[in-house]
Amino acid sequence: MSLMSLAPVRAARFTAVLAGVLLLAACDGPNQFATPIPGTGPGGDTKPPKVDIQLPRGDSLSAKPLGDSVLVRVRVTDNVGVDSVVFFGIANRGDKTLGTDTVVTRFTRKKVALPANTRDTTITRYLIPLPSKVKELSKIIVLAFDNEGNVAADTSSLVLGGPDVILQNIQAGQSIQAGLGLSLRVVARDPQGIIQIQINFAGAFTRSVVKTITPAADSVVFDTTVVVPTGVFGALSITAVARNALDVAGQDGPLIVNVVSASAGDTIKPWLVALASSPERLELKDSITVVVTGFDNTQGSGVRTAGYTVRGIAPSRGDTLIRSGSRTFTPPRTGTVSEAFKVVTFNVDSLNLPDTLVYEITGYLIDAQGNCAASIGGPQPVSLQCDTLRTGQIVARGRTGQRLTRTIVAGRTVTLPTGGRIMDAVIDTLRRNLYLSNQPKGQVEVFRIQQERFLPAVPVGSEPWGMSLNRGHDTLLVANSGGTNISSVFLGVANGAGPFREISNRRLLLPNVNLFDIEAIVDDLGFLRYAPRFISNATPPGFSTRPQFLAVDSAGEILFSTKTTLLANYGIIAKVFIPADRGRPTEVRPEIELFWDHADLTVAPAFTAVANVDRVDIRKTPTGDSVIIYDHVPGFPNDTISAGPDFVDKAAAALKLLGSDIKTGPGRFSVPGFGFGDTTFVTASGNGGWVVFGEGAVGPVGRIIMYDAKRRKISNMIQVADLMVNASETVQGLGLNYDGTLGVARGFDAYFFTADFRLQGVAQLPQGGAGAVLHPLHANAKSRDNNNGEYRPDTHMAFVGTGERTIDIFDTFHFFRSGRLFIRDIVQGPLRAVLPFPEDNAGLTCATIPVTDQAGRTIGRAISIFQNGDFDRPYPPTGTTDDRCIVVKLFGVTNTGGVVVVDVRKADILRHHPARGPQD
């Protein structure tokens, strides 16, 4: 019978075979299908295939958390050829004796068709679970059909709702030697939390190793070494068991290995694989990982030492340094040994980054008899001859180690300890802390900058985004973009060690923003009629009041942008403030002022736009309508005030005299006009006198808006197209100097502008990247409004992130790139700058100069880079100001979800200065 004629037969018979399998699946026992199902072949071949499930292995304690896929590995063989293999998973429910038994599918069916004449193969597939919250015992079933239609099956039991457990560093059938140490690793995970791991030994010897996990952890890696007793031999069963917080157990094993006795006179070298890995770009404190994995011969003396040797070659300088390390095992190890080593980058010229290094890596194992084997990379175990350098390190004889050519760059990237996504970063120079908003975790991470460690995170509101210190620098304000509120996190004493906590009764609950368009209509009889229209923030085109980025001005008021949403397409910019308490401090509530001065009202002669009131009512009479406007005293929502009935303009004027913050204008509100279609950045000048908003969108047109804190109103607005070269550019970063006399907008390029929005210069940038910030003491820039300003090259500089994984340094008077910092990742979020801490330049000669703002007030001391402030005369590399002196510290949110901390040194500032000559 041909294969073509067999195909429909197989298709017709699969349902019947499956029905028989499911019937047998209801029977008790760990493996009902270990023997073939006889008599199923229609042709001359009546011998079914052989099926052996290798994973999941073990008895009914093998487990998976609910919702996890399961990896199934099966070996199938047949004397003629295996045609296809079918995987699926079921569970038996009910009671057979009561007639309530049912078979429920828990994993989707998967069929694998095999090439012709496949007689022996191992197949690995993931089975996808069907949605279910039922915790129960399931069966993984694999059916194999041969070319004659004969079928056989195998099953493996699996607990659904228990820990996933993997026993590593050991293989079934492996021989291990008595008297040596056996290295084992157990990996366990469960969303319910792992509370205990246990490794059980039975057979050649009996023992249990128990590890209690406190507190419970979602994922656990447990490494241990068990000494195999001397004088024992034979089969040894090894089982790993994990328990979750619900006291449900999961298991891997048992694995059966063979314990053998040692033999004298071991002269055989171990076998090993040594692999080194690292990112292409490395920071100064990054490491190369070297993993050495291998084993001694079955009856050898066991592995005593695992180690590595790394040559660090600097091609540009022509010198080589060597680093090495090892670990000694007592007693020596039998079975598989795996050791991971971390090698911190070395032989780097930190003043001339990026620096290119070639690292040559050799790994080795030495057994208890001194036999040494080396590896220089590659996936297969080798046993190369060892050699010893004159300096004592071990390498492979006559062979070059695995070569990694790496670029060493500036910066130190901080990654979150428990994952998440950073949206904003704030530096607290008083407490030496870096605060990071972790949006998906709903918390603020606290990083100790000098100690380079995380403190316990601070829970805040939903989806925290932008942050800012308050005017007193004792509270961190956090915009909770998943709601309409702002958290206040108390920062505590000046040592910065915490504990930190949100002050619950100081969370700012933002009120709604009410807008009305009131139309005046003259009816057919000549009487005046009013028709108010409430502009809902929930009806498209609506607007969101969920805060996104924020800044604090010199009056302590909070300026913020809001997040665009699917329901309300537009964000807004606004101010939140706490009015005077009027002797009732426990009653006062925050108020919002929506900014709409930057957008013209839609021309509509019959309309009046009314904002910042609670309600508008119309009193109708046969001879005409009048308006009553209701509001509350700002800060006191229960103190109702009203004006009218009257004409709309007179009612509005009367209400304002009563203390309302009402605003009116002729025409209609345009949500697309005052709204923002994308992320809107917010930043304040160093003294809080100015706040700038930058729109990250181009439709209908991108805008940059200045707020004057002294006048408490929008001062200037400019379309991005009027400032930037390309009308399609979007704002990807904003910076203001200390006193607001110069700003920078990051688009495709960097655009420098004064408070009157006069373009002062353009710095060309490579494609991609985000973030822009000015030197913290950049002040008193010359402009039409500040004619007495002056150029100060020691502080008049900007730092801009680029898509080439650099932060470019620009002089803000000449607008050329004076320096460039190569970093590991791309800055894609806010970029911040602070002055160095006093300890940063300890032991260095770093001259400083006082810096004043436009009013002549001293605002700090800056590192002096140029002699007497003369741009053409930078200090030489050593002397008055050493090239190693840190001028500024930068903090940028990167595309890898971390924050890069970069120390900007004097050498970096002058890298492209004409006095230093051409440099890359």
Side-chain angles (χ1 to χ4, degrees):
M1 184 179 292
S2 69
L3 292 179
M4 290 297 293
S5 62
L6 271 176
V9 175
R10 291 195 193 99
R13 297 180 59 251
F14 176 76
T15 303
V17 172
L18 181 59
V21 169
L22 296 181
L23 180 62
L24 290 174
C27 301
D28 294 330
N31 192 351
Q32 296 81 24
F33 309 124
T35 57
I37 301 172
T40 56
D45 176 27
T46 59
K47 187 175 183 181
K50 292 182 179 180
V51 186
D52 179 22
I53 295 179
Q54 299 174 342
L55 283 178
R57 60 195 178 199
D59 57 22
S60 61
L61 285 178
S62 296
K64 281 283 183 182
L66 289 176
D68 267 20
S69 301
V70 60
L71 179 66
V72 182
R73 184 171 68 231
V74 62
R75 182 184 179 189
V76 291
T77 59
D78 188 74
N79 61 317
V80 174
V82 181
D83 174 76
S84 58
V85 178
V86 178
F87 300 77
F88 59 101
I90 63 168
N92 298 115
R93 296 179 187 170
D95 190 327
K96 182 170 59 177
T97 61
L98 298 176
T100 61
D101 57 316
T102 59
V103 176
V104 179
T105 302
R106 293 303 305 261
F107 293 90
T108 57
R109 174 177 168 267
K110 186 167 291 188
K111 180 179 179 180
V112 179
L114 298 176
N117 301 319
T118 301
R119 299 189 179 186
D120 189 340
T121 187
T122 298
I123 304 171
T124 302
R125 290 292 185 275
Y126 275 100
L127 293 187
I128 307 301
L130 294 176
S132 176
K133 296 183 179 180
V134 178
K135 299 176 182 179
E136 60 188 343
L137 178 65
S138 70
K139 294 181 174 67
I140 302 300
I141 303 174
V142 179
L143 299 173
F145 294 84
D146 68 12
N147 292 331
E148 291 290 336
N150 300 298
V151 60
D154 193 12
T155 66
S156 182
S157 296
L158 191 68
V159 172
L160 299 181
D164 184 14
V165 187
I166 302 174
L167 179 59
Q168 298 180 344
N169 288 4
I170 196 75
Q171 295 179 359
Q174 183 175 343
S175 293
I176 60 175
Q177 185 176 312
L180 303 181
L182 175 62
S183 298
L184 295 173
R185 166 173 287 188
V186 178
V187 179
R189 62 181 188 84
D190 193 307
Q192 302 295 336
I194 303 295
I195 62 171
Q196 185 190 80
I197 289 178
Q198 183 172 340
I199 305 176
N200 298 319
F201 301 85
F205 67 92
T206 301
R207 185 176 304 171
S208 290
V209 177
V210 179
K211 172 71 174 178
T212 301
I213 311 299
T214 306
D218 293 350
S219 179
V220 175
V221 177
F222 175 49
D223 291 296
T224 188
T225 301
V226 175
V227 177
V228 181
T230 57
V232 303
F233 62 92
L236 176 66
S237 168
I238 306 175
T239 305
V241 180
R243 292 187 178 277
N244 67 15
L246 300 178
D247 202 31
V248 178
Q251 170 179 311
D252 191 16
L255 297 180
I256 308 300
V257 299
N258 187 37
V259 180
V260 298
S261 300
S263 59
D266 179 14
T267 60
I268 301 174
K269 301 191 301 293
W271 288 76
L272 72 152
V273 172
L275 289 176
S277 61
S278 78
E280 292 296 321
R281 287 192 175 197
L282 293 168
E283 296 172 345
L284 288 171
K285 293 188 178 182
D286 278 347
S287 299
I288 296 170
T289 300
V290 182
V291 178
V292 179
T293 303
F295 50 89
D296 199 14
N297 56 297
T298 301
Q299 293 188 322
S301 53
V303 175
R304 182 192 65 199
T305 304
Y308 68 90
T309 298
V310 180
R311 283 187 170 106
I313 305 167
S316 63
R317 301 188 299 278
D319 64 335
T320 300
L321 295 179
I322 300 175
R323 295 285 186 271
S324 62
S326 63
R327 182 177 178 186
T328 300
F329 309 114
T330 304
R333 299 282 177 87
T334 186
T336 302
V337 174
S338 184
E339 286 295 318
F341 300 95
K342 296 288 187 180
V343 186
V344 178
T345 55
F346 63 96
N347 198 17
V348 180
D349 183 359
S350 60
L351 282 185
N352 288 289
L353 299 178
D355 195 8
T356 299
L357 272 297
V358 177
Y359 293 106
E360 294 182 352
I361 303 101
T362 302
Y364 62 87
L365 293 179
I366 303 174
D367 68 17
Q369 294 297 315
N371 300 303
C372 179
S375 170
I376 55 171
Q380 300 302 321
V382 295
S383 186
L384 303 177
Q385 188 71 32
C386 294
D387 201 355
T388 303
L389 301 175
R390 288 180 297 175
T391 49
Q393 295 89 358
I394 295 174
V395 295
R397 178 170 296 175
R399 305 289 292 271
T400 299
Q402 178 187 353
R403 292 172 66 92
L404 297 180
T405 300
R406 295 294 183 260
T407 301
I408 316 302
V409 296
R412 164 86 168 95
T413 296
V414 178
T415 55
L416 297 174
T418 59
R421 183 185 180 196
I422 298 171
M423 306 308 296
D424 200 6
V426 167
I427 309 103
D428 183 351
T429 55
L430 175 65
R431 298 168 183 81
R432 306 288 201 274
N433 286 337
L434 174 65
Y435 307 117
L436 308 171
S437 56
N438 190 336
Q439 186 191 47
K441 295 283 187 177
Q443 61 193 29
V444 173
E445 311 287 350
V446 182
F447 182 72
R448 297 286 285 159
I449 296 172
Q450 300 302 99
Q451 291 85 3
E452 294 191 350
R453 65 185 179 90
F454 279 94
L455 298 179
V458 186
V460 287
S462 173
E463 299 180 11
W465 199 304
M467 302 184 296
S468 179
L469 295 174
N470 70 341
R471 189 170 51 170
H473 285 203
D474 63 357
T475 300
L476 180 71
L477 301 169
V478 184
N480 298 315
S481 68
T484 54
N485 52 76
I486 297 173
S487 291
S488 297
V489 176
F490 181 62
L491 301 178
V493 295
N495 68 11
F500 307 95
R501 60 183 177 86
E502 180 183 357
I503 306 171
S504 59
N505 62 0
R506 286 182 58 190
R507 180 176 287 192
L508 297 177
L509 306 179
L510 305 181
N512 202 2
V513 175
N514 293 329
L515 304 177
F516 298 88
D517 287 337
I518 303 177
E519 184 180 11
I521 305 169
V522 178
D523 66 14
D524 294 339
L525 299 177
F527 297 121
L528 179 65
R529 303 296 181 186
Y530 285 110
R533 293 175 174 84
F534 173 60
I535 301 175
S536 169
N537 60 6
T539 303
F543 55 91
S544 163
T545 54
R546 295 165 58 179
Q548 188 172 43
F549 283 110
L550 56 80
V552 176
D553 69 8
S554 56
E557 295 179 337
I558 303 170
L559 290 297
F560 66 97
S561 62
T562 66
K563 177 183 178 181
T564 60
T565 67
L566 294 176
L567 179 63
N569 295 326
Y570 292 93
I572 61 171
I573 57 175
K575 175 173 68 176
V576 59
F577 59 98
I578 306 293
D581 61 29
R582 303 169 65 209
R584 297 150 61 188
T586 61
E587 298 180 37
V588 68
R589 297 292 182 266
E591 289 286 343
I592 284 183
E593 179 183 346
L594 168 69
F595 294 137
W596 48 278
D597 310 60
H598 56 281
D600 293 331
L601 296 173
T602 300
V603 176
F607 281 84
T608 300
V610 178
N612 300 341
V613 298
D614 295 339
R615 194 172 87 245
V616 174
D617 285 350
I618 305 300
R619 176 169 292 181
K620 294 184 174 293
T621 69
T623 58
D625 295 349
S626 55
V627 174
I628 306 173
I629 307 177
Y630 295 89
D631 199 6
H632 61 271
V633 176
F636 296 87
N638 294 324
D639 290 0
T640 302
I641 53 178
S642 64
D646 210 330
F647 296 110
V648 62
D649 54 342
K650 291 185 177 181
L655 192 67
K656 193 165 189 176
L657 291 176
L658 294 175
S660 171
D661 56 354
I662 184 174
K663 283 190 175 183
T664 64
R668 303 187 66 179
F669 284 110
S670 168
V671 174
F674 67 73
F676 298 84
D678 202 344
T679 299
T680 299
F681 295 89
V682 185
T683 192
S685 60
N687 63 2
W690 294 88
V691 176
V692 63
F693 302 90
E695 183 176 14
V698 295
V701 63
R703 292 157 293 184
I704 298 175
I705 298 165
M706 292 282 283
Y707 172 83
D708 185 344
K710 185 176 181 180
R711 298 167 59 200
R712 296 194 172 188
K713 63 178 294 185
I714 294 293
S715 172
N716 286 304
M717 186 277 291
I718 190 171
Q719 293 183 356
V720 169
D722 294 336
L723 185 66
M724 299 182 178
V725 174
N726 192 322
S728 66
E729 291 188 64
T730 63
V731 175
Q732 297 296 325
L734 279 176
L736 280 181
N737 70 353
Y738 181 84
D739 52 11
T741 52
L742 190 74
V744 56
R746 170 68 164 83
F748 293 161
D749 294 317
Y751 301 87
F752 297 88
F753 58 91
T754 47
D756 57 359
F757 281 128
R758 299 296 296 168
L759 181 64
Q760 300 302 314
V762 178
Q764 294 185 348
L765 299 173
Q767 186 176 358
V773 67
L774 296 160
H775 188 292
L777 297 182
H778 192 303
N780 200 26
K782 190 177 182 64
S783 69
R784 293 173 68 248
D785 295 333
N786 186 37
N787 194 50
N788 294 324
E790 58 181 340
Y791 167 50
R792 300 167 176 171
D794 291 300
T795 59
H796 282 196
M797 63 187 74
F799 307 90
V800 185
T802 84
E804 291 185 344
R805 294 188 288 180
T806 67
I807 298 175
D808 287 0
I809 306 169
F810 290 94
D811 180 280
T812 62
F813 186 76
H814 301 99
F815 303 104
F816 79 99
R817 190 176 71 190
S818 63
R820 170 170 263 202
L821 297 153
F822 289 79
I823 57 176
R824 193 182 72 187
D825 306 309
I826 296 174
V827 174
Q828 72 167 15
L831 190 61
R832 313 294 190 204
V834 296
L835 295 176
F837 303 132
E839 57 269 30
D840 286 334
N841 288 323
L844 300 175
T845 303
C846 304
T848 62
I849 55 170
V851 180
T852 58
D853 63 8
Q854 67 181 119
R857 295 181 291 258
T858 299
I859 59 175
R861 299 189 69 87
I863 300 295
S864 180
I865 303 170
F866 300 91
Q867 301 178 51
N868 298 319
D870 185 350
F871 174 79
D872 295 322
R873 298 175 60 220
Y875 283 115
T878 58
T880 305
T881 301
D882 194 291
D883 265 12
R884 294 182 179 274
C885 292
I886 297 174
V887 176
V888 116
K889 297 176 81 75
L890 297 177
F891 300 79
V893 178
T894 68
N895 63 328
T896 59
V899 167
V900 62
V901 183
V902 184
D903 291 335
V904 183
R905 301 181 184 274
K906 174 193 157 200
D908 300 317
I909 302 292
L910 299 174
R911 191 172 305 279
H912 295 279
H913 192 279
R916 291 293 177 97
Q919 299 181 47
D920 293 331

